[in-house]
Amino acid sequence: MKWKYGFKLLSRICLILFYLIAFLTLFTTMEHITRIWFSGSSFKKSFGVYEPIFTYFDLSFNKQPELFNNSSFLILSFVSTTAFCSLLLLFLWFLQKLLMNIYKENLFLYENVSLISKLGYTILFLGTLSTYTEEQLALKVLDLLKITNAQISLSTGAYLDTIIGGVVLLLIASALKFAVSAVEENKQTI
């Protein structure tokens, strides 16, 4: 019985995080649009110096490279950021609905099969897009570094994690569909 209220609490936390990330997504979208299409505006200057954020490392330049003002780099950064924020928003939305369904009824519902499938597709497509484009950005930035007596290489393949994660969720949704069918059949025979 205690777990049931835990699902409701987690559902509410997901909803709160959803709205916070939606606000941050709006802010980062405005920043990217301003940097790409309104580069001469004073609004762009209010955002300060552009420094892309990378998941796997932190890199700061003493002087901002010209690459960070390149429109193709900014568009790639915009795609990566938008895909990542969309992934987070959809993940939190679907997870919130799933947790609320578990709280109200139980796990074995056809609606939950649909939600887990949507989670799988979201991670599969948006997660892969986000990770792949971020890797491309990181490779472009690492090409700017002039390192003597060493060599840096970035393993490109982190997007395989999101592909595997999405496929695993789709397999879980498939298995849950059979379980829900069995539960429904069992309810009808009783």
Side-chain angles (χ1 to χ4, degrees):
M1 194 66 174
K2 294 178 186 178
W3 283 102
K4 190 170 182 159
Y5 293 105
F7 289 123
K8 184 176 183 178
L9 177 66
L10 288 173
S11 174
R12 297 280 164 94
I13 290 171
C14 285
L15 198 57
I16 291 168
L17 288 174
F18 174 84
Y19 288 116
L20 286 173
I21 291 172
F23 175 73
L24 290 174
T25 301
L26 179 64
F27 182 76
T28 59
T29 302
M30 284 180 5
E31 178 185 13
H32 277 89
I33 288 173
T34 303
R35 289 189 188 280
I36 295 168
W37 289 289
F38 305 105
S39 59
S41 70
S42 60
F43 188 56
K44 177 209 168 216
K45 293 175 187 166
S46 69
F47 287 111
V49 177
Y50 178 68
E51 290 190 29
I53 299 170
F54 300 104
T55 305
Y56 299 107
F57 60 89
D58 187 21
L59 183 64
S60 298
F61 289 94
N62 295 330
K63 182 182 173 198
Q64 186 183 28
E66 198 57 39
L67 176 68
F68 290 177
N69 293 322
N70 186 333
S71 65
S72 65
F73 182 83
L74 289 170
I75 289 171
L76 191 60
S77 175
F78 181 55
V79 169
S80 177
T81 304
T82 302
F84 181 71
C85 290
S86 299
L87 169 70
L88 284 176
L89 288 171
L90 288 173
F91 180 81
L92 288 169
W93 184 257
F94 293 141
L95 187 61
Q96 178 268 334
K97 286 179 151 291
L98 178 69
L99 291 169
M100 192 52 77
N101 283 346
I102 294 171
Y103 165 72
K104 288 181 179 175
E105 297 190 35
N106 64 25
L107 176 65
F108 299 104
L109 299 173
Y110 282 113
E111 184 180 348
N112 290 344
V113 171
S114 173
L115 288 171
I116 293 173
S117 294
K118 288 176 184 176
L119 277 170
Y121 285 122
T122 300
I123 290 173
L124 184 66
F125 295 115
L126 288 176
T128 302
L129 175 66
S130 170
T131 307
Y132 181 75
T133 53
E134 182 181 343
E135 285 178 359
Q136 296 307 308
L137 287 170
L139 287 172
K140 286 185 176 192
V141 170
L142 288 178
D143 284 343
L144 295 175
L145 298 177
K146 303 219 184 315
I147 298 175
T148 58
N149 199 24
Q151 183 177 347
I152 292 180
S153 63
L154 178 68
S155 68
T156 55
Y159 61 89
L160 294 174
D161 293 342
T162 55
I163 291 172
I164 292 168
V167 168
V168 166
L169 277 173
L170 291 173
L171 290 173
I172 290 171
S174 258
L176 184 62
K177 185 176 181 181
F178 287 115
V180 169
S181 295
V183 167
E184 290 296 320
E185 187 177 304
N186 203 13
K187 281 181 184 177
Q188 292 176 1
T189 57
I190 293 178

